[in-house]
Amino acid sequence: MNMLDKKIDRRRGLLVCGLAAAIVGQAALWAPSALAESHVVEIRDFQFAPEALDIAVGDTVTWVNMDIAPHTATAVDGSWDSGSLAQGDEWSLVIETAGVIDYLCTFHPQMVGALNVE
Amino acid sequence: MLRKTLIAGAALTAVSMAALSAKAEDEGPNDLEIAHIAYTAGVIDLRYAHLALAVSDNADVREFAGTMLRDHQAVNDAALALLEKLEAAPQDNATSQSLLQQAADKRAELIALEGKAFDKAYADNELGYHQFVNTALAETFIPAADNAEFKALLGSALATFRAHEKHAEKLVKNTR
């Protein structure tokens, strides 16, 4: 192998290493969203179903109102609020913090639910 | 093909109308009468709610009345949408007229009150009214309804009104 060939070979090696690093980097960036799950909470007969939901940070929760009456899904601490959901409406939220998040329907405060986020 | 589809559509509409049409007199109220009674019952509670919002300063009463406005309007809108889909019109009847007369009498009583006396009377009436309507729905109107979609709608309405009844129980305690 002459000097020129060695240089080209070295450049190829660097290029391969660079590409590999880029792919690993991308994979690391994509990993959380690839693992994130979606969950559905049905609002039916004035109850959140399931009433308690175990999820992970990064997961998406979608509330779907099956009742005739309008409802909301609203964090007790006021950090998020679906607003009024008419029958058939749905609303989604990506959960970004761990812990127990209690929520309720502001129109019918006896309706309560909880997200247990790990 | 189009003609066949039209004929099939017309036949379906005829079936829907037949399901919602008058039954023999000895079988109790027909679907169109039940629809009228249920819609009237909703309108009556909407009127009570408007009165409460006009008269009361009590936060619990106002919140309850606001919920009644939202929910009863939604139920009545859903009932009208179903009737429109079935190309049917609600049928006035003696029960609806009796409900309206009783409600007019009760409104006259409530209008004469103010302050805590009004709040307590409104709460008591809401509890009693929802208990009465829920019993009638569960024991008479839902069993008597023929059309499956209409029966399901009444079932959803009952779930709504039962939640109102529980809410009214709390309101009665809070306005004592």
Side-chain angles (χ1 to χ4, degrees):
Chain A
M1 187 180 284
N2 61 34
M3 284 299 286
L4 184 61
D5 286 343
K6 277 184 181 173
K7 273 188 181 174
I8 291 171
D9 197 47
R10 191 159 165 264
R11 281 183 185 171
R12 275 187 188 149
L14 285 171
L15 190 63
V16 168
C17 284
L19 275 172
I23 290 167
V24 168
Q26 287 294 314
L29 280 175
W30 289 337
S33 58
L35 293 172
E37 293 183 14
S38 295
H39 309 267
V40 174
V41 175
E42 280 195 0
I43 308 173
R44 188 188 289 276
D45 292 340
F46 283 69
Q47 288 183 321
F48 294 108
E51 194 171 290
L53 187 63
D54 295 327
I55 61 172
V57 170
D59 285 2
T60 299
V61 180
T62 300
W63 285 266
V64 185
N65 182 18
M66 312 298 285
D67 279 345
I68 296 175
H71 294 296
T72 76
T74 308
V76 169
D77 67 7
S79 58
W80 44 265
D81 179 15
S82 68
S84 182
L85 299 174
Q87 187 175 34
D89 283 354
E90 60 181 57
W91 182 75
S92 296
L93 177 72
V94 177
I95 305 299
E96 293 171 343
T97 53
V100 176
I101 304 172
D102 293 313
Y103 67 93
L104 49 67
C105 167
T106 54
F107 298 157
H108 313 96
Q110 74 274 21
M111 294 171 57
V112 294
L115 304 175
N116 303 312
V117 190
E118 289 190 351
Chain B
M1 184 64 190
L2 178 63
R3 188 162 172 273
K4 276 185 182 174
T5 306
L6 285 173
I7 290 170
L12 270 177
T13 303
V15 168
S16 302
M17 289 299 291
L20 271 176
S21 66
K23 293 189 294 188
E25 280 181 17
D26 60 349
E27 291 179 23
N30 65 56
D31 285 10
L32 298 176
E33 289 171 328
I34 295 170
H36 198 283
I37 294 164
Y39 190 86
T40 300
V43 168
I44 287 169
D45 208 43
L46 287 169
R47 289 177 183 166
Y48 287 139
H50 281 297
L51 178 63
L53 289 172
V55 171
S56 179
D57 294 324
N58 181 296
D60 289 335
V61 167
R62 296 185 68 80
E63 187 238 334
F64 182 90
T67 300
M68 294 307 103
L69 284 186
R70 256 191 316 270
D71 291 359
H72 282 285
Q73 193 61 58
V75 170
N76 275 7
D77 288 348
L80 285 182
L82 178 59
L83 287 167
E84 190 175 341
K85 177 185 161 190
L86 297 174
E87 296 181 26
Q91 191 175 308
D92 201 356
N93 59 87
T95 304
S96 291
Q97 291 305 314
S98 172
L99 283 174
L100 284 170
Q101 185 56 56
Q102 288 171 40
D105 294 345
K106 178 55 72 176
R107 275 173 57 82
E109 277 179 46
L110 290 172
I111 286 171
L113 303 172
E114 58 184 16
K116 285 185 178 178
F118 174 88
D119 296 335
K120 185 180 182 309
Y122 172 73
D124 287 346
N125 184 54
E126 283 300 302
L127 178 57
Y129 186 66
H130 279 91
Q131 286 170 337
F132 166 74
V133 168
N134 291 346
T135 301
L137 270 173
E139 296 181 4
T140 305
F141 298 139
I142 292 176
D146 286 329
N147 180 279
E149 277 186 273
F150 182 54
K151 195 186 271 279
L153 178 69
L154 290 176
S156 297
L158 179 59
T160 305
F161 303 156
R162 279 181 169 155
H164 292 174
E165 186 179 327
K166 284 185 185 171
H167 195 167
E169 285 172 2
K170 285 185 183 171
L171 187 67
V172 166
K173 286 179 187 169
N174 292 344
T175 53
R176 269 179 188 162

